[in-house]
Amino acid sequence: GESVGLHLPTLSVQEGDNSIINCAYSNSASDYFIWYKQESGKGPQFIIDIRSNMDKRQGQRVTVLLNKTVKHLSLQIAATQPGDSAVYFCAENTGTASKLTFGTGTRLQVTL
Amino acid sequence: GAVVSQHPSRVICKSGTSVKIECRSLDFQATTMFWYRQFPKQSLMLMATSNEGSKATYEQGVEKDKFLINHASLTLSTLTVTSAHPEDSSFYICSARADSWQYFGPGTRLTVL
């Protein structure tokens, strides 16, 4: 999602549907990417990662796709559940001392 | 495994006072820890990289004399916000690096009155 001032972009999905959250990263030299889930008032929680030599990686109910040509990352959540409601951030490793640069975030709202 | 704790979880202080936030890796050693700041509805912004036994490396625009970082042991890094002002009110999050992974703490909510 694109950042719009101080308002997080929001994705609303119905319970049971699939969710796709997008992220555009900035550094073409980044070689490692991570998706995090952050619930209100808590720290980021690791979901899934992918290295730049891959274009797809699957976890349990989640899939990350990487398109290096357009510097785009997406997170797909299958059969979205109410517990998936949170803010999702992508992060890229700049390659220097494992520093992470976080994207702007997308709020996922799961409706019943 | 790989649990990171922060203390306190929330703190309210008066303007002009200093506040210390602790970040601990509970079941692993971390030569490198990171401190982030997150304002409401915004992303995490890296403030500094804390290295055990050496000076922290601050990101551009972060005042090192205002945000004092000490990484005295392999399991503890502290961030002290000196002479805090209302604009320092934020959610401060640390992470500890183990191998190529970063493990995040639960965050500390700082409110400066």
Side-chain angles (χ1 to χ4, degrees), chain B residues 77-88:
Chain B
S77 174
T78 61
L79 168 69
T80 301
V81 183
T82 62
S83 187
H85 292 286
E87 56 266 30
D88 298 322

Side-chain angles (χ1 to χ4, degrees), chain A residues 33-92:
Chain A
F33 305 87
I34 310 168
W35 278 101
Y36 289 97
K37 173 186 180 182
Q38 186 181 31
E39 296 174 321
S40 181
K42 297 183 179 180
Q45 175 188 351
F46 172 89
I47 301 174
I48 192 168
D49 60 353
I50 189 169
R51 296 206 173 271
S52 59
N53 61 352
M54 303 172 68
D55 53 21
K56 181 179 180 179
R57 190 160 189 234
Q58 287 185 294
Q60 188 175 17
R61 272 202 315 122
V62 294
T63 301
V64 55
L65 299 177
L66 174 62
N67 186 330
K68 294 183 290 294
T69 302
V70 295
K71 292 189 287 187
H72 184 269
L73 199 64
S74 70
L75 175 70
Q76 300 178 2
I77 304 174
T80 313
Q81 302 169 358
D84 295 327
S85 294
V87 178
Y88 290 80
F89 293 98
C90 66
E92 59 185 300

Side-chain angles (χ1 to χ4, degrees), chain A residues 40-41, chain B residues 8-12 38-40 90-92 107-111:
Chain A
S40 181
Chain B
S9 58
R10 55 178 64 229
V11 56
I12 301 173
Q38 185 178 31
F39 292 108
S90 188
F91 194 50
Y92 291 86
T108 296
R109 172 76 60 194
L110 170 63
T111 303

Side-chain angles (χ1 to χ4, degrees), chain A residues 6-8 32 36 38 41-44 46 49 51 89 97-100 102-104 107, chain B residues 34 36 38 40-44 46 49 59 91 93 97 100-102 104-107 109:
Chain A
L6 294 180
H7 300 282
L8 283 172
Y32 180 52
Y36 289 97
Q38 186 181 31
K42 297 183 179 180
F46 172 89
D49 60 353
R51 296 206 173 271
F89 293 98
S98 298
K99 293 200 299 184
L100 293 176
F102 281 78
T104 52
R107 181 177 301 281
Chain B
F34 301 90
Y36 296 83
Q38 185 178 31
K41 297 185 178 181
Q42 294 191 34
S43 188
L44 283 75
L46 180 64
T49 303
E59 295 299 302
F91 194 50
I93 305 170
R97 190 177 75 180
S100 60
W101 296 78
Q102 279 192 41
F104 284 84
R109 172 76 60 194

Side-chain angles (χ1 to χ4, degrees), chain B residues 23-41:
Chain B
C23 177
R24 293 183 185 273
S25 55
L26 297 185
D27 49 3
F28 66 101
Q29 294 183 330
T31 56
T32 302
M33 292 183 175
F34 301 90
W35 286 96
Y36 296 83
R37 180 168 51 182
Q38 185 178 31
F39 292 108
K41 297 185 178 181

